[in-house]
Amino acid sequence: MSPLEIVAVIISVIGVALTIKRNMLCWWFNFLAFSLYAYLFFQFKLYGETILQFFFMVVNFYGLYHWLKGKQQDHEIRIEPIATKTVILQMILAAVGGVLFGLSLHYFTDAALPMLDSQLAAFSLLATYWTSRKHIATWVLWVFVDIVYVGMFIYKDLFLTAGLYAAFVGMAAFGWWQWEQVKKKQLSSNFKGI
């Protein structure tokens, strides 16, 4: 447990808590967390996770833009629906992308856990994209991804980060519930406005 890991954990918790609350500051805290974890994961030869942090940074700015645009139009961060067919297609694309990325990590690097690392990276990227699009499905995916992350980080002796991801499981479940409440409220106000 290094001071870097401790700071990264604290910043990550703040970022996720702000995301649950649909607070625009979440994007800035998340960006800082991604930067810190990119360096930490590189030290532990989790190259998939390292590269993922850089993708997270890009998607982070997309999410900030998308949330700002939505807030300017609706004066709040609205929850958006996603079709089941879209979910299935994007999950398949993430799985295939994860396999391809895992094979490249396996053959071209000394990555510690190339296939697991790459699959988690692919599904985390998808979940982050869904967050940027304000889909409740993001929280469901995060619950499952974070459970697997806990095991991987325990295996790599990143115990504080494993604890963080265990907390993320609970936070993702709470985020799912919280966003469901907001969605119901939005549907109710839309219905009254008709």
Side-chain angles (χ1 to χ4, degrees), residues 139-166:
W139 298 112
V140 179
L141 184 53
W142 276 126
V143 166
F144 291 102
V145 167
D146 289 342
I147 288 170
V148 179
Y149 267 126
V150 170
M152 183 178 79
F153 291 135
I154 288 171
Y155 178 78
K156 289 300 292 177
D157 295 328
L158 288 166
F159 298 112
L160 189 57
T161 300
L164 170 66
Y165 277 76

Side-chain angles (χ1 to χ4, degrees), residues 86-161:
T86 302
V87 168
I88 292 168
L89 176 63
Q90 290 177 353
M91 294 279 287
I92 290 169
L93 288 172
V96 170
V99 167
L100 295 174
F101 184 41
L103 290 171
S104 64
L105 287 176
H106 176 74
Y107 289 109
F108 301 112
T109 73
D110 62 343
L113 302 166
M115 292 310 285
L116 178 61
D117 191 12
S118 64
Q119 284 298 323
L120 287 171
F123 283 104
S124 294
L125 192 57
L126 177 59
T128 301
Y129 173 72
W130 285 351
T131 301
S132 73
R133 301 297 297 178
K134 301 170 283 186
H135 300 312
I136 289 176
T138 190
W139 298 112
V140 179
L141 184 53
W142 276 126
V143 166
F144 291 102
V145 167
D146 289 342
I147 288 170
V148 179
Y149 267 126
V150 170
M152 183 178 79
F153 291 135
I154 288 171
Y155 178 78
K156 289 300 292 177
D157 295 328
L158 288 166
F159 298 112
L160 189 57
T161 300

